[in-house]
Every structure is written in structure tokens, then in C-alpha cells.
Amino acid sequence: MSRRREIEAKLNAFGEIRDILDAMKNLALMETRKLERFLATQQRVVNTIDSAFQDFASFHQHLVAGAERAREVCLLFGSERGFCGDFNEAVLASLEGYLVKRDDASAGLVTVGYKLSTKLANDPRVMARVDGATIVEEVEPVLTRLTHTLHTLLVGSGSLRLTAFHHAPDEADVSVRRLDPFVFGMGAPRRFSSPPLLTLHPQVVLTETVNQYLDAHLHAVIYASLMAENVRRLQHMQGAIRHIEEESARLGLRRNALRQEETTEEIELILLTAESLIAR
């Protein structure tokens, strides 16, 4: 009896865990549905900004080519919460491979996401840590904190070269995205015979366009990373739920077998008692 009760207690615990995992899975599923709309819209914004910047740069190469080069800063986009497999480990592995190829020991790191930051808690290369987003509505505050952090680093360093490491929903490997509009605009082909009509000085237009370029691309990176994180979490939850279902089924069979054994023992006890009474 005690063994069967122990199994029933485990089954009840599995049921409670299953309910929690179902809730987490549903939340991840809801976020992926919301992010699908944001990703499509943000990609159109990125394409528009890229096209406008290239049109401007194709007629003002002297401004683009004159940009300073400075210390590289790697932006690492990880997860704020857990239950998403090797999401953060893959970002760190991609970073180390990238730095080995470039043979650059001076690159600084900026981490986005609590879980990722804890893995680099004592790394001297980390220049700043930013909390990540857990839902779509938190993306804007995260971006505000990140841009403020980058502005602070820019003031202290004079100039930065940004490289983003992040997951993308439809890619197995970590994406490495160079967020350098000057390199992007170098050698841009002229699609039109006449330069764009400007109402501001080209240098002012360049500054504002660079800001828009970085804002659009950082939005896209954060949305893509959050989408990939929720997809990973959804897969992780589904795997955990499937494992619990299999374990519950196994324990259910064992419980039924123990119940049959107990029933058989009770029947045998009744028969023995009856025989004893008849013998008397």
C-alpha cells in the first residue's frame, strides 16, 4: 500500500508540474504570435533605412569614408529567463570563434539578458550589462537602456564599432551582424543619376541617418532574439511535457499493477479467513 501511495504522490506532483509547463508553453506561444507581426514590420523598416542610407552614401562617399575606426564592441543578446536549452551557450561559443578568427583581444563586450550576463560574471572584457526583455512590451525599455549604455561608452571612447551576436528564429547558427553603417555605405552604387534633395547639411543628414540606421537594426536584432528565445522555450517545454507524459504513463502502469497485487492479496486473505471459519 505504501509503495502505491508513493507512486500516486509522484503522479500528483507530475500533474502539477505539467500544469506549470503548459502555462509556460502557452505564454511562449503567445509571444511568438505577437513577435511574428513585429518582425515582419521591422524588417520593412530596416530595408527602407538601408535603401535610403545607401542612396545618400552613394553621393557622399567622402563623408562615409572619413568616419573614424575605433575599438570593437560585441553586443551579445542572450536570454533574460531560462528553460531555453543552450541558447546562451551558443552565443558565447559564436563569440569566441569570431574573436579567434579575428585575433582581436581588445574587443569589449556588452551583454543583454540576465542569464547570459551571469555566465560572464567575472569576465574583464564586459563593459556593461543590460537586462533583457521577456515579452514584446519590454523591448522599447530594453532598447532605451541599451542605447543609453552605448552612448555612455561612446562618450568615453570617442568611437565604437558594433557587432551583434544573436539568435534568429529561422537560423540554426547564431547570427553575427555588423552594425556599422559606414562600412555598409562604403562603395554604395548609385541607383539614380541625381543626388537626393536635402534641406539640411549633409553632415547633419548623415548623423541623423546613422541614428535611424542603428535604431532600426537594434530593434530588428532584439525582436529576432526574443522570437528565437521563445521558439527555443516552446520546444524545450514540449520536450519536457512529453517526458512527463511518458513517465506518468509508466508510473500509471506500475500503480495499476500494485493495485491488482493488493486486490489479489485482499481476496486471498478473505478466502483464507472464510476457510478458517468453515473449518471451525
Side-chain angles (χ1 to χ4, degrees):
M1 182 70 76
S2 60
R3 178 58 180 160
R4 181 168 64 84
R5 287 176 178 172
E6 185 178 320
I7 290 176
E8 287 180 344
K10 286 185 178 181
L11 286 171
N12 291 332
F14 281 155
E16 293 176 359
I17 295 172
R18 167 66 189 269
D19 291 340
I20 295 172
L21 292 177
D22 275 334
M24 294 175 67
K25 184 189 77 171
N26 291 334
L27 287 174
L29 185 60
M30 288 170 57
E31 289 302 310
T32 58
R33 294 292 182 264
K34 290 190 290 184
L35 282 162
E36 284 175 353
R37 300 193 302 272
F38 280 89
L39 278 171
T41 302
Q42 191 60 39
Q43 189 56 51
R44 289 195 292 270
V45 173
V46 167
N47 293 340
T48 300
I49 293 295
D50 287 355
S51 178
F53 187 82
Q54 282 196 321
D55 288 341
F56 172 85
S58 65
F59 287 96
H60 297 87
Q61 284 290 306
H62 63 289
L63 294 177
V64 176
E68 286 186 76
R69 293 294 174 262
R71 182 182 184 185
E72 182 171 21
V73 173
C74 298
L75 304 179
L76 309 180
F77 292 85
S79 68
E80 184 68 11
R81 296 183 289 131
F83 297 103
C84 49
D86 62 344
F87 190 87
N88 298 304
E89 289 79 3
V91 173
L92 296 179
S94 177
L95 168 71
E96 297 305 329
Y98 174 83
L99 294 179
V100 167
K101 287 181 181 179
R102 291 180 62 84
D103 193 22
D104 185 3
S106 65
L109 309 179
V110 174
T111 61
V112 181
Y114 173 76
K115 287 294 184 179
L116 176 65
S117 296
T118 57
K119 295 183 178 298
L120 297 171
N122 300 315
D123 196 316
R125 298 173 298 175
V126 177
M127 305 171 70
R129 307 173 194 272
V130 179
D131 291 338
T134 57
I135 56 176
V136 175
E137 290 75 13
E138 294 177 354
V139 168
E140 289 299 331
V142 169
L143 186 61
T144 299
R145 291 194 296 268
L146 178 59
T147 51
H148 177 74
T149 299
L150 293 177
H151 177 73
T152 302
L153 295 176
L154 183 63
V155 170
S157 304
S159 183
L160 300 174
R161 291 185 291 116
L162 303 178
T163 304
F165 294 77
H166 68 96
H167 286 276
D170 302 324
E171 297 179 13
D173 298 327
V174 174
S175 295
V176 181
R177 184 183 301 200
R178 184 80 173 272
L179 301 181
D180 192 334
F182 297 104
V183 172
F184 176 71
M186 287 284 289
R190 292 186 177 181
R191 300 187 302 164
F192 305 98
S193 58
S194 301
L197 297 176
L198 304 177
T199 58
L200 299 172
H201 190 277
Q203 185 62 54
V204 176
V205 174
L206 175 65
T207 301
E208 294 301 322
T209 307
V210 166
N211 291 337
Q212 292 292 328
Y213 174 94
L214 291 175
D215 181 77
H217 278 268
L218 285 174
H219 264 98
V221 167
I222 294 176
Y223 283 136
S225 178
L226 186 57
M227 177 69 163
E229 178 186 343
N230 278 284
V231 170
R232 289 287 188 92
R233 183 169 292 111
L234 187 60
Q235 295 170 346
H236 195 68
M237 292 300 102
Q238 288 172 336
I241 290 171
R242 184 165 55 251
H243 176 72
I244 285 179
E245 288 176 343
E246 292 172 354
E247 188 65 16
S248 295
R250 186 186 67 80
L251 288 176
L253 292 175
R254 179 58 181 157
R255 178 192 59 188
N256 293 339
L258 289 173
R259 183 180 293 161
Q260 289 177 353
E261 290 177 6
E262 291 171 0
T263 302
T264 302
E265 290 175 358
E266 290 177 357
I267 293 174
E268 289 176 350
L269 181 59
I270 292 172
L271 291 176
L272 289 173
T273 303
E275 289 176 358
S276 176
L277 292 174
I278 292 173
R280 290 180 184 178

